[in-house]
Amino acid sequence: MAAPQGECADDAAGTLALFGTRLDGQEIFIDPVALELRVLNIHCGWRLKERLYHHPRTGLTGQLPAVIVGQSVCTRPDASDLRMLASAGLAVPPSHPESEAFRSWLHHELGSAIEDLLFRDKAVFRQFTLRVLASSVSNYAELVHSSFCFTERPRFAVSSTSLLCTVRRVLDTASERLGVMRYFGADETFDCADAAAFAHLAVLLSIPFERGSPMAVLLQQYPSLRRYCERIREEFLVWDKEKYWMSAVVSQSDGFVALRSPSWQKSRVPPGQVVLWVAVTAAAVVAFVVTGKTPLKPPG
């Protein structure tokens, strides 16, 4: 996919386009790939200029996150493929095959589990994910469109028992692999496995599960993984250590974090405007289902 002419004129190294938002002036991530690329940008010295977007798709790149270098654009899922990033001209340090395998396994197993938790667990979706998306949009139509862009599989079609078993299996493996070492890298040094491990664990442990829920109880059983995330965050300074950081395991967590309602939810909306929003939303949903494309994604 060719990048728009002149996109990187102000930054010779390129651009890192991420989906992210700020709540009460603090960062919050629900996309592990975006957080992983932020860490790699620092660790590998890519010098990519970060641009945060408050919608999972943009007219510029399509699906986020995206890496733009010269005329090359790597979007999801290629943005998480180190070989694709290397072909775009980025310096990707060599890593041990064992680290590559562990990284791929995390993307497949824990990445899918996090998506299921955020978008298919009814309580998490309604009390947390929907609020995060709502904090970054200006009206209800954008909120509906944003939630559709993250996943194409039917929502809520997930077994909580199966999901809990998957997360436990992944965390058991990760905890055993880390042991007393500082990093997950095969040579006990920071490598691509650590970027993926930190990103996925940080997003998972920062989902404010309801206190006393099976998932919240499970996550409390892995203090070594929490300490690992704290250490990497301090090393790279890639996430504000504030209210939403590690909210699944902090002792003062009591139920879901009360996210601030966006201004458009607080204001009184005339009935006519509500009808207009519903009509626009319905038209957008029909267009998405029929064409498989979004209004913001360029044709071709």
Side-chain angles (χ1 to χ4, degrees):
M1 177 179 178
Q5 294 290 335
E7 167 57 27
C8 298
D10 60 340
D11 191 334
T15 300
L16 180 58
L18 305 176
F19 171 77
T21 188
R22 300 186 72 86
L23 298 172
D24 303 327
Q26 302 163 17
E27 282 184 315
I28 190 166
F29 283 92
I30 61 173
D31 181 9
V33 178
L35 190 57
E36 180 182 2
L37 287 173
R38 171 178 276 193
V39 173
L40 288 174
N41 188 30
I42 299 171
H43 174 65
C44 300
W46 289 345
R47 297 185 299 107
L48 299 178
K49 181 179 180 180
E50 282 194 14
R51 293 187 180 178
L52 289 181
Y53 293 87
H54 301 309
H55 195 283
R57 289 184 187 268
T58 73
L60 170 65
T61 66
Q63 184 71 40
L64 295 179
V67 177
I68 307 171
V69 181
Q71 298 300 306
S72 299
V73 176
C74 293
T75 62
R76 181 189 292 272
D78 291 343
S80 61
D81 189 328
L82 295 181
R83 290 171 296 181
M84 293 296 295
L85 296 176
S87 67
L90 294 175
V92 178
S95 58
H96 195 279
E98 186 179 344
S99 294
E100 289 277 8
F102 182 65
R103 177 178 180 270
S104 299
W105 179 76
L106 281 175
H107 274 271
H108 183 267
E109 294 292 328
L110 194 52
S112 298
I114 290 173
E115 181 182 322
D116 285 338
L117 285 168
L118 289 172
F119 293 93
R120 297 175 184 86
D121 182 286
K122 291 183 179 180
V124 175
F125 180 77
R126 292 171 178 170
Q127 299 294 329
F128 176 65
T129 311
L130 201 60
R131 287 173 163 181
V132 172
L133 297 177
S135 70
S136 60
V137 299
S138 59
N139 57 58
Y140 183 72
E142 287 186 11
L143 173 61
V144 173
H145 180 233
S146 181
S147 63
F148 267 101
C149 288
F150 267 99
T151 178
E152 296 179 357
R153 291 183 293 169
R155 289 202 195 102
F156 309 146
V158 61
S159 165
S160 58
T161 302
S162 174
L163 189 55
L164 193 69
C165 291
T166 298
V167 173
R168 177 183 288 110
R169 184 178 69 253
V170 173
L171 296 185
D172 282 344
T173 302
S175 180
E176 181 179 352
R177 177 185 174 92
L178 183 63
V180 296
M181 297 190 301
R182 184 175 179 83
Y183 300 114
F184 281 100
D187 298 324
E188 297 189 25
T189 57
F190 187 96
D191 67 7
C192 65
D194 287 282
F198 167 76
H200 286 79
L201 291 173
V203 170
L204 175 65
L205 296 178
S206 296
I207 298 174
F209 297 101
E210 192 170 7
R211 189 173 186 178
S213 66
M215 188 63 70
V217 172
L218 174 65
L219 297 182
Q220 293 282 356
Q221 299 173 15
Y222 301 91
S224 63
L225 297 181
R226 176 187 174 182
R227 290 193 296 269
Y228 168 81
C229 289
E230 296 280 7
R231 187 167 62 248
I232 301 301
R233 195 213 70 84
E234 293 289 344
E235 185 173 341
F236 290 94
L237 299 178
V238 289
W239 191 328
D240 295 343
K241 190 176 180 180
E242 298 291 349
K243 181 177 181 179
Y244 306 106
W245 169 254
M246 298 284 106
S247 56
V249 291
V250 292
S251 58
Q252 65 268 28
S253 178
D254 187 9
F256 290 104
V257 173
L259 304 183
R260 184 177 59 184
S261 300
S263 58
W264 62 268
Q265 285 186 336
K266 298 177 182 177
S267 59
R268 299 186 64 181
V269 182
Q273 191 170 350
V274 173
V275 173
L276 178 60
W277 283 357
V278 172
V280 172
T281 301
V285 171
V286 170
F288 178 78
V289 172
V290 172
T291 67
K293 299 179 180 179
T294 74
L296 295 178
K297 188 173 181 180

